Amino acid sequence: RKEVEQDPGPFNVPEGATVAFNCTYSNSASQSFFWYRQDCRKEPKLLMSVYSSGNEDGRFTAQLNRASQYISLLIRDSKLSDSATYLCVVNSPGGSYIPTFGRGTSLIVHP
Amino acid sequence: DAGITQSPRHKVTETGTPVTLRCHQTENHRYMYWYRQDPGHGLRLIHYSYGVKDTDKGEVSDGYSVSRSKTEDFLLTLESATSSQTSVYFCAISESSGRTSGYTDTQYFGPGTRLTVL
């Protein structure tokens, strides 16, 4: 089982829709969590960190569920410019604490 | 944007030749990473560095070596390039990692190098 798993999608939604992605992780000792955004043929960029109490940044809300070992990203009022791949990142301890990336979820927002 | 550059940005080479990719940062961050990204696999860690001359292997290190002689530069060398190493290579930096604390700072990525091995 891969340490960090995401549904690759694509999620195809109309402008203005609300869409949510989940990301599951296997190591219960994982301590830090992030969502990155990657546009086609570009480098990943941090979208938001995920805090235990949940956090919001404008139209984006991130949640952490330690009991079920998943994080989520909710996007409200989707814009065309939200079309991208969203990468889940988990700090997976096991000696080196190097971040582990999920394979990403593709989002396509259409008019 | 964080000051990270990669060179070259594109390279085409032949099987069996050595190739060196360079990552340069102006942020004075301690940690530097090399990833490769392939369809269906996502980002996979090749090697990382936690200080000058301090490096360690990632999950796909076979066929790659790295060196870090200065804080700002992290070199990735393909000792004898193979077609399976055709990929997009990203360098990343972070101020700290969970290596000591269990918490990892944000990683900032360079623009990537597209490598084609014929």
Side-chain angles (χ1 to χ4, degrees):
Chain A
R1 179 184 170 190
K2 194 164 167 50
E3 287 186 50
V4 179
E5 296 201 46
Q6 295 182 253
D7 180 345
F11 286 64
N12 212 315
V13 303
E15 273 187 290
T18 296
V19 62
F21 314 132
N22 283 345
C23 166
T24 59
Y25 60 94
S26 60
N27 191 328
S28 60
S30 298
Q31 299 214 26
S32 54
F33 308 88
F34 306 89
W35 284 103
Y36 280 72
R37 171 194 168 125
Q38 186 173 25
D39 294 303
C40 188
R41 302 175 77 86
K42 298 284 191 180
E43 72 272 25
K45 292 187 177 181
L46 178 71
L47 179 65
M48 57 198 304
S49 302
V50 185
Y51 302 124
S52 297
S53 55
N55 47 300
E56 189 173 305
D57 183 2
R59 298 181 293 108
F60 299 85
T61 301
Q63 298 275 359
L64 167 63
N65 185 317
R66 286 194 182 273
S68 300
Q69 293 182 208
Y70 73 88
I71 64 172
S72 63
L73 177 68
L74 180 78
I75 305 175
R76 291 182 298 279
D77 189 23
S78 298
K79 311 291 185 192
L80 296 176
S81 58
D82 293 334
S83 297
T85 297
Y86 292 84
L87 305 173
C88 163
V89 183
V90 176
N91 174 344
S92 301
S96 61
Y97 288 89
I98 296 301
T100 302
F101 284 77
R103 296 181 185 180
T105 297
S106 174
L107 172 66
I108 300 170
V109 182
H110 58 83
Chain B
D1 287 350
I4 312 169
T5 56
Q6 292 185 231
S7 58
R9 294 292 314 279
H10 301 270
K11 185 169 182 69
V12 179
T13 191
E14 293 189 349
T15 298
T17 59
V19 175
T20 296
L21 308 182
R22 179 181 184 235
C23 177
H24 179 79
Q25 61 147 329
T26 57
E27 305 297 321
N28 201 36
H29 282 0
R30 181 178 174 188
Y31 294 86
M32 299 185 76
Y33 313 79
W34 276 109
Y35 291 89
R36 61 178 288 175
Q37 187 172 38
D38 305 287
H41 289 279
L43 277 161
R44 293 182 291 173
L45 183 67
I46 305 171
H47 282 279
Y48 67 100
S49 169
Y50 47 97
V52 173
K53 292 187 168 43
D54 292 323
T55 65
D56 207 347
K57 295 178 179 180
E59 66 176 299
V60 290
S61 59
D62 287 348
Y64 301 94
S65 62
V66 290
S67 66
R68 191 166 177 202
S69 59
K70 298 185 289 186
T71 299
E72 57 266 34
D73 289 324
F74 192 32
L75 304 181
L76 175 71
T77 297
L78 287 64
E79 292 136 13
S80 177
T82 67
S83 58
S84 64
Q85 292 176 312
T86 293
S87 187
V88 179
Y89 291 85
F90 287 104
C91 173
I93 63 174
S94 67
E95 199 159 15
S96 67
S97 92
R99 186 180 173 87
T100 52
S101 69
Y103 293 89
T104 303
D105 266 349
T106 302
Q107 288 184 307
Y108 298 95
F109 285 81
T113 295
R114 292 191 173 275
L115 176 68
T116 302
V117 183
L118 302 175

